[in-house]
């Protein structure tokens, strides 16, 4: 059964790759996505640092060097996108072009030279799209998005940016860096003055989430993960308490670019702007008073795609959409993921909604590593899924989903290769992962991944007994290998005895 409004492959019906070019104050970036999808995956992602907005605040105009760099980058990126089969290239310009006296002239010149429309976003529109990008990247988000670019920072409500105020403030990583190099205290006052001019921001996130968007802010997350040597380095969904966010901001704001460049994993091209981004993060978090601060890898560009999706497609869980798309492209037989969902229903005791959606995702992905060598299959599946760009997940959920598939391929928690990542899970989560993984392994052993065979069999918990009822001639309830896997599942769920019978 497909989620409502989605095609079999998990994509919107029109299909084909789509391209978005973000013409920002600091960089020009092209992202080519596989398709217009609820869970977009980038096929190509490249940026060029042009600092288009570096001198706008001083001169009111775009600098000639930045303009030349941006135009050359646009020509290259449009050529790549067309060669990859993108029918149109969506070029969106933000703060630098918007603020410059010659911004409209530059946009018209670029449009004439490239043969593609160039859309110059207003501040509120940029804030709206950034919030929609967050809505794209999370399941049932609730809070405020903050999207930091080179020339501005935007705030809007999530998931419905039309509800409440939307604002763009002329305090970006590029402009604030220049101010900090001249006078740190004056730069701090500049930030506070801009924020205090928006009284609605005070306590705007109390009890809710502050979603942090933008490359310079994501660089702060990478720095913290590197300094703490966290087991998983995925930025999307990385969560901090408000105190941790403020402490991170103060710590990074006081470091020199040379200090920051020495931290492993920190993007070297971001180090000049990281102190400014850190200062802004600390001041904004203090003002908003959120319940938590969560970093988002999705923003303006994904928001541009998200708004083009039908309403039914936007309502789909992004994790399930992404798992269905990846599983559909890698599973041996169609429908096996949905059959595994039916097979595992009821197998996890006291299953929460959060655990149920992870189990469903694991079922959709349960045959995704069949091409790997048997000796390395479990580990390959674990690390690929833990790092895969799924949306709508916390870091712990990434590890748990990967662990379910690891066990499905007969991996064990004592394996030293995965032990460190498993420290992110508590014992109940590990046990649940083992139950799901063992149930999937048993299901594939008895059915070969054929949905019709699996649907003819049933797992049933009856008091302290785990009962396997087989109702297909291809399944022998006395098969030794089948019995071994049934016993492993029984041990995982704590069954006192197991039994397989034909029906």
């Amino acid at each position: 059964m497909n989620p409502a409004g989605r095609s079999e492959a998990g994509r919107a019906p029109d299909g084909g790759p789509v391209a978005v070019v973000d013409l920002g104050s600091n960089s020009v970036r092209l992202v080519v996505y596989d398709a217009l999808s609820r869970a977009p995956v980038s096929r190509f992602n490249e940026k060029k640092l042009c600092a288009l907005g570096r001198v706008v605040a001083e001169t009111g105009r775009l600098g000639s060097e930045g303009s030349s760099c941006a135009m050359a980058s646009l020509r290259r990126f449009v050529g790549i996108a067309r060669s990859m089969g993108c029918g149109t290239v969506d070029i969106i310009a933000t703060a630098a072009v918007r603020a410059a006296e010659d911004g409209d002239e530059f946009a018209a010149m670029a449009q004439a030279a490239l043969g593609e429309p160039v859309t110059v976003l207003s501040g509120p529109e940029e804030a709206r799209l950034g919030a929609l990008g967050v809505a794209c990247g999370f399941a049932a988000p609730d809070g405020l998005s903050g999207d930091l670019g080179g020339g501005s920072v935007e705030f809007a409500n999530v998931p419905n940016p039309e509800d409440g105020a939307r604002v763009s403030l002329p305090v970006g990583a590029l402009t604030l860096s220049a101010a900090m190099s001249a006078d740190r205290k004056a730069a701090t006052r500049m930030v506070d003055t801009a924020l205090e001019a928006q009284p609605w921001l005070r306590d705007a996130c109390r009890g809710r989430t502050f979603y942090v968007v933008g490359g310079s802010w994501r660089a702060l997350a990478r720095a913290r993960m590197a300094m703490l040597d966290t087991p998983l380095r995925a930025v999307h969904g990385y969560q901090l308490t408000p105190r941790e966010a403020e402490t991170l901001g103060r710590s990074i704001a006081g470091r020199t670019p040379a200090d920051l460049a020495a931290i492993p994993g920190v993007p070297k091209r971001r180090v000049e702007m990281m102190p400014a981004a850190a200062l802004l993060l600390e001041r904004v978090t203090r003002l908003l008073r959120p319940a938590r601060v969560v970093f988002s890898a999705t923003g303006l560009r994904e928001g541009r795609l998200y708004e083009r999706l039908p309403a039914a497609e936007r309502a789909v869980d992004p994790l399930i959409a992404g798992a269905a798309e990846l599983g559909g492209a890698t599973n041996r037989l169609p429908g096996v993921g949905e059959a595994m969902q039916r097979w595992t229903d009821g197998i996890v005791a006291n299953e929460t909604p959060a655990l149920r959606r992870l189990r469903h995702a694991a079922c959709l992905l349960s045959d995704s590593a069949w091409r790997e060598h048997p000796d390395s299959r479990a580990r390959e599946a674990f690390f690929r899924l833990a790092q895969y760009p799924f949306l709508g997940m916390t870091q712990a959920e990434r590890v748990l989903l990967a662990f379910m598939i690891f066990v499905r391929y007969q991996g064990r928690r004592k394996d030293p290769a995965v032990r460190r990542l498993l420290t992110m899970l508590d014992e109940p989560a590990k046990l649940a992962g083992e139950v799901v993984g063992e149930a999937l392994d048993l299901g594939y052993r008895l059915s070969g991944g054929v949905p019709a065979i699996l649907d003819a069999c049933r797992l049933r918990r009856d008091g302290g007994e785990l009962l396997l009822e087989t109702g297909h001639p291809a399944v022998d309830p006395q098969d030794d290998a089948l019995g071994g896997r049934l016993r492993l599942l029984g041990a995982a769920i704590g069954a006192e005895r197991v039994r397989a019978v034909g029906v």
Side-chain angles (χ1 to χ4, degrees):
M1 181 178 66
N2 289 331
R6 293 181 50 248
S7 65
E8 182 67 28
R11 304 180 180 196
D14 51 345
V18 293
V20 180
V21 177
D22 181 357
L23 181 58
S25 300
N26 188 50
S27 65
V28 182
R29 183 185 291 272
L30 164 69
V31 183
V32 176
Y33 300 91
D34 251 1
L36 183 62
S37 165
R38 179 62 185 91
V41 176
S42 65
R43 179 180 293 186
F44 183 82
N45 187 330
E46 185 175 325
K47 71 177 178 182
K48 177 72 173 179
L49 294 178
C50 292
L52 184 63
R54 186 180 296 279
V55 299
V56 170
E58 299 173 11
T59 68
R61 301 177 64 83
L62 300 172
S64 58
E65 184 177 343
S67 297
S68 297
C69 175
M71 189 65 75
S73 300
L74 288 172
R75 288 194 182 95
R76 178 170 183 270
F77 288 163
V78 169
I80 289 173
R82 287 173 177 165
S83 298
M84 295 181 76
C86 301
T88 60
V89 184
D90 191 4
I91 304 173
I92 47 180
T94 56
V97 177
R98 177 172 68 240
E101 296 172 4
D102 56 345
D104 289 341
E105 179 184 340
F106 177 85
M109 183 174 61
Q111 183 166 310
L114 301 169
E116 298 284 354
V118 176
T119 303
V120 182
L121 299 177
S122 69
E125 180 67 4
E126 186 176 353
R128 185 184 75 86
L129 289 174
L132 289 180
V134 170
C136 176
F138 293 86
D142 176 45
L144 200 73
S145 66
D147 189 350
L148 176 61
S152 62
V153 60
E154 284 74 39
F155 298 98
N157 188 65
V158 175
N160 300 311
E162 288 81 6
D163 296 343
R166 305 191 302 275
V167 67
S168 176
L169 304 179
V171 183
L174 194 64
T175 53
L176 188 55
S177 291
M180 286 181 71
S181 64
D183 187 332
R184 167 74 181 273
K185 290 184 178 180
T188 303
R189 288 195 298 271
M190 180 176 78
V191 169
D192 290 343
T193 299
L195 294 174
E196 289 165 5
Q198 304 294 325
W200 66 276
L201 286 175
R202 184 170 297 279
D203 295 345
C205 258
R206 188 180 290 275
R208 305 167 75 205
T209 302
F210 177 39
Y211 296 95
V212 176
V213 184
S216 295
W217 268 344
R218 287 193 293 271
L220 303 183
R222 291 191 176 94
R224 187 176 192 271
M225 288 188 283
M227 290 186 291
L228 296 181
D229 192 24
T230 57
L232 184 65
R233 302 295 175 90
V235 172
H236 188 70
Y238 183 58
Q239 181 173 312
L240 302 178
T241 66
R243 180 175 298 227
E244 289 171 338
E246 291 179 31
T247 299
L248 174 64
R250 286 191 295 270
S251 171
I252 298 297
R255 295 191 178 213
T256 67
D259 290 338
L260 296 171
I263 301 174
V266 170
K268 299 301 184 286
R269 292 175 294 183
R270 294 283 183 186
V271 295
E272 295 291 338
M273 289 179 290
M274 283 176 64
L279 172 63
L280 193 58
L281 178 66
E282 188 266 331
R283 308 306 282 184
V284 169
T285 303
R286 179 181 297 184
L287 180 69
L288 297 180
R289 297 188 182 277
R292 66 199 64 83
V293 176
V294 176
F295 289 83
S296 174
T298 56
L300 177 71
R301 294 177 295 275
E302 290 75 23
R304 192 73 166 178
L305 301 186
Y306 185 76
E307 70 172 348
R308 293 169 56 188
L309 292 174
E313 181 79 3
R314 291 196 298 270
V316 172
D317 186 325
L319 169 60
I320 301 303
E325 184 162 345
L326 180 58
T330 53
N331 293 342
R332 284 170 287 188
L333 293 173
V336 65
E338 291 80 4
M340 285 293 167
Q341 289 181 24
R342 297 188 291 272
W343 164 254
T344 57
D345 278 343
I347 198 63
V348 179
N350 303 314
E351 186 177 49
T352 63
L355 184 55
R356 184 178 303 115
R357 70 190 287 266
L358 288 181
R359 175 173 61 83
H360 284 182
C363 290
L364 293 168
L365 296 163
S366 57
D367 202 29
S368 60
W370 68 273
R371 292 181 183 273
E372 303 294 342
H373 191 280
D375 291 346
S376 60
R377 192 174 287 155
R379 289 181 178 181
E380 292 286 345
F382 180 86
F383 289 110
R384 180 163 65 108
L385 294 177
Q387 296 286 353
Y388 191 82
F390 289 118
L391 302 178
M393 301 182 77
T394 66
Q395 290 207 325
E397 286 173 335
R398 290 181 183 277
V399 176
L400 180 51
L401 175 62
F403 183 54
M404 289 175 177
I405 304 303
F406 178 72
V407 176
R408 173 267 185 270
Y409 286 116
Q410 301 171 39
R412 296 293 175 258
R413 68 162 76 182
K414 292 183 179 180
D415 187 331
V418 305
R419 193 178 300 161
R420 186 161 181 261
L421 276 172
L422 292 186
T423 61
M424 298 178 64
L425 304 179
D426 59 21
E427 186 60 22
K430 292 176 188 175
L431 289 174
E434 287 171 333
V435 169
V436 173
E438 297 290 5
L440 291 171
D441 188 28
L442 174 62
Y444 277 96
R445 177 63 184 83
L446 67 86
S447 71
V450 179
I453 298 177
L454 193 63
D455 284 338
C457 302
R458 181 186 174 204
L459 282 172
R460 187 157 57 88
R461 300 176 66 164
D462 186 6
E465 181 178 65
L466 175 63
L467 181 64
L468 169 61
E469 299 173 334
T470 66
H472 195 282
V475 183
D476 177 7
Q478 305 307 314
D479 180 86
D480 289 342
L482 196 63
R485 285 169 170 79
L486 182 61
R487 286 188 291 275
L488 286 171
L489 176 58
I493 68 174
E496 297 173 6
R497 58 192 175 277
V498 299
R499 187 161 55 99
V501 299
V503 295

